[in-house]
């Protein structure tokens, strides 16, 4: 029997509830597919600040490194809004990404047909976009700092404090993520869009030249380039024409929220952060910790359940178990089960809380 070690980080807000739900579903899939999963719990984010004074304790990073995969709920909340920037809960995420070398972030934005009325777009069509976001480079991890300047601006104002964050990318960093995006496009509709700002940024021009080199190895994939500002418009006007998008850390952060919103099901969207083969991947829902509904039973567990399925597929290579979970989620949606975030007009819907949605998915795994 294959056996895997899973590092579990429940985190803050609704994190503990949705991770609990995903573990129940994972256990059911594991028993049906003859896999053994061993969980170890670690602290990160606000709860780690409260108990150890820092967002990412060393035991957490070490524990994650020693596991086969990491399942994470969400971190952060208003309680820690005034914490010094270098100790904010979000630093835990950045520390995990860089500490585990998770350079590739897969964010599928998929429209569930039954939920299309929740999309803010009138006629979105069949949206199924895979955003491949670079995750350990660019402005998030570039040189940054601040200094005082007494220079005078053209209107006579003193410049004062100057702050800077640097966008920098090496060919190697670009090559590994773009290559992965081509590979992923090969397994889908063979359309890849590189989103950048090459009319202004040198880093973007380097992305383009590396992509133009790599495309020779993938003659079947059609590659096109889109400026990020234009991309935000095209995502609204023709979302169903995108297949795979590859982009930098900063642009990927922004457009993945937009793409998620277009599907109308932000509470449904999972993500995978992957590194070199053999490194544990990190799997988390793309929504946040939603502290306003924590403990109320209103949280939609499906994004975390689908993240657990991605974990089975991408880190553990357990395709059958992943398929089982994904199809159970689809069946639960088709059968009408709806948490508050995805409720529509009510007809044919079964309104449920976190607990009942989890039970519905487990039930559908037997069907
Ligand atoms: C995300 C989040 C994070 C990011 C924050 C919380 C640091 O917005 O995962 O998209 O900017 O990467
Ligand atoms: Mg974001």
């Amino acid at each position: 029997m294959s056996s895997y070690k899973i590092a579990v980080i429940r985190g803050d807000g609704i994190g503990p509830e949705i991770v609990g739900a995903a573990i129940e579903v994972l256990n059911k899939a594991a028993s049906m597919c003859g896999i053994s999963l061993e969980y170890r719990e670690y602290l990160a984010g606000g709860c780690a600040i409260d108990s150890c004074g820092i967002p990412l304790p060393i035991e957490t990073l070490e524990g994650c490194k020693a596991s086969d995969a990491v399942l994470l709920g969400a971190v952060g909340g208003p309680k820690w809004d005034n914490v010094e920037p270098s100790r904010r809960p979000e630093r835990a995420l950045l520390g995990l990404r860089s500490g585990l070398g998770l350079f590739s972030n897969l964010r599928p934005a998929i429209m569930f047909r039954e939920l299309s009325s929740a999309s803010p777009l009138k006629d979105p069509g069949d949206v199924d976009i895979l955003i491949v976001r670079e995750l350990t480079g660019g402005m998030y991890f570039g040189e940054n700092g601040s200094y005082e300047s007494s220079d005078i601006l053209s209107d006579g104002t003193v410049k004062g404090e100057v702050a800077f964050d640097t966008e920098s990318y090496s060919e190697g960093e670009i090559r590994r993520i773009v290559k992965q995006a081509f590979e992923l496009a090969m397994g889908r509709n063979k359309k890849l869009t590189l989103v950048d700002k090459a009319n202004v940024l040198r880093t973007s021009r380097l992305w383009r030249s590396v992509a133009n080199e790599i495309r020779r190895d993938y003659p079947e994939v059609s590659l096109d380039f889109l400026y990020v500002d234009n991309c935000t418009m095209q995502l609204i006007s023709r979302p169903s024409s995108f297949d795979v998008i590859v982009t930098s850390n900063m642009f990927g952060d922004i457009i993945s929220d937009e793409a998620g919103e277009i599907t109308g099901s932000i509470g449904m969207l999972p993500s995978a952060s992957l590194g070199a083969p053999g490194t544990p991947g990190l799997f988390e829902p793309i929504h946040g910790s939603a502290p306003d509904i924590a403990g109320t039973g209103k949280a939609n567990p499906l994004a975390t359940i689908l993240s657990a399925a991605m974990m089975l597929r991408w880190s553990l290579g357990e395709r059958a178990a992943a398929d089982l979970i994904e199809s159970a989620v689809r069946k639960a949606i088709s059968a009408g089960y709806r948490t508050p975030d995805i409720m529509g007009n009510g007809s044919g819907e079964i309104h449920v809380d976190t607990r009942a949605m989890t039970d519905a998915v487990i039930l559908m795994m037997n069907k």
Side-chain angles (χ1 to χ4, degrees):
M1 187 196 272
S2 304
S3 154
Y4 305 99
K5 278 195 217 133
I6 312 297
V8 174
I9 298 175
R10 293 175 187 256
D12 309 313
I14 58 171
E17 307 155 44
I18 54 180
V19 169
I23 289 179
E24 287 183 42
V25 172
L26 273 172
N27 286 341
K28 171 80 177 170
S31 77
M32 289 176 74
C33 299
I35 312 167
S36 144
L37 300 173
E38 184 197 317
Y39 306 98
R40 299 248 167 91
E41 303 255 353
Y42 297 97
L43 292 177
C47 55
I49 298 175
D50 289 351
S51 83
C52 342
I54 48 170
L56 182 62
I58 186 79
E59 311 81 81
T60 299
L61 184 57
E62 291 306 318
C64 291
K65 281 185 183 165
S67 67
D68 294 304
V70 184
L71 182 66
L72 187 144
V75 297
K79 181 174 176 199
W80 304 281
D81 270 354
N82 297 320
V83 172
E84 191 234 315
S86 67
R87 287 173 176 256
R88 284 179 63 95
E90 292 84 349
R91 300 306 304 182
L93 281 181
L94 301 179
L96 284 165
R97 291 171 183 172
S98 64
L100 296 170
L102 306 173
F103 60 84
S104 164
N105 185 209
L106 311 187
R107 297 191 165 189
I110 297 172
M111 170 96 80
F112 288 75
R113 217 175 354 95
E114 295 88 341
L115 305 179
S116 60
S117 64
S119 169
L121 302 187
K122 275 201 293 287
D123 183 16
D126 267 336
V127 181
D128 182 351
I129 310 173
L130 178 61
I131 296 183
V132 182
R133 170 191 180 193
E134 199 289 329
L135 204 58
T136 51
M139 226 187 297
Y140 275 63
F141 294 95
E143 203 187 321
N144 65 75
S146 66
Y147 59 91
E148 278 301 320
S149 167
S150 50
D151 290 357
I152 306 292
L153 296 169
S154 57
D155 71 344
T157 320
V158 178
K159 264 188 160 180
E161 186 178 346
V162 180
F164 62 95
D165 299 278
T166 317
E167 176 83 350
S168 102
Y169 270 110
S170 69
E171 258 180 85
E173 285 176 298
I174 300 168
R175 185 166 292 117
R176 63 183 178 182
I177 186 83
V178 172
K179 202 167 161 10
Q180 195 186 38
F182 269 103
E183 289 288 334
L184 290 160
M186 282 299 286
R188 296 174 44 109
N189 291 327
K190 303 192 172 66
K191 269 167 54 187
L192 178 61
T193 306
L194 172 61
V195 171
D196 63 26
K197 189 71 188 171
N199 49 349
V200 178
L201 302 177
R202 271 177 100 125
T203 42
S204 291
R205 292 195 284 273
L206 186 58
W207 275 74
R208 283 198 183 198
S209 82
V210 171
N212 274 324
E213 220 178 85
I214 299 175
R215 75 191 305 173
R216 293 188 212 125
D217 299 333
Y218 298 88
E220 286 172 53
V221 176
S222 83
L223 170 70
D224 60 1
F225 301 102
L226 209 51
Y227 298 141
V228 63
D229 48 349
N230 189 5
C231 177
T232 61
M233 292 197 296
Q234 306 295 331
L235 277 171
I236 302 281
S237 59
R238 54 170 183 96
S240 59
S241 70
F242 287 92
D243 181 19
V244 180
I245 290 179
V246 64
T247 191
S248 65
N249 203 345
M250 186 80 235
F251 295 156
D253 179 46
I254 299 166
I255 63 170
S256 61
D257 270 19
E258 186 190 10
E261 180 66 16
I262 286 169
T263 68
S265 36
I266 196 102
M268 304 280 304
L269 301 179
S271 78
S273 301
L274 307 172
T279 32
L282 182 145
F283 302 83
E284 57 177 326
I286 72 158
H287 60 68
S289 61
D292 51 321
I293 58 162
T296 64
K298 288 188 185 153
N300 183 347
L302 295 180
T304 317
I305 290 171
L306 290 169
S307 301
M310 285 189 98
M311 174 177 91
L312 288 163
R313 187 179 305 287
W314 293 98
S315 271
L316 311 184
E318 294 290 346
R319 282 241 260 347
D323 290 345
L324 180 66
I325 294 178
E326 283 167 4
S327 105
V329 167
R330 286 190 177 275
K331 285 180 196 158
I333 293 295
S334 301
Y337 291 96
R338 300 284 186 272
T339 43
D341 58 311
I342 50 173
M343 281 175 192
N345 57 14
S347 83
E349 294 185 349
I350 309 164
H351 293 171
V352 290
D353 61 4
T354 315
R355 168 77 267 150
M357 181 61 105
T358 310
D359 291 340
V361 173
I362 292 173
L363 180 73
M364 295 299 163
M365 289 167 85
N366 288 321
K367 296 211 166 169

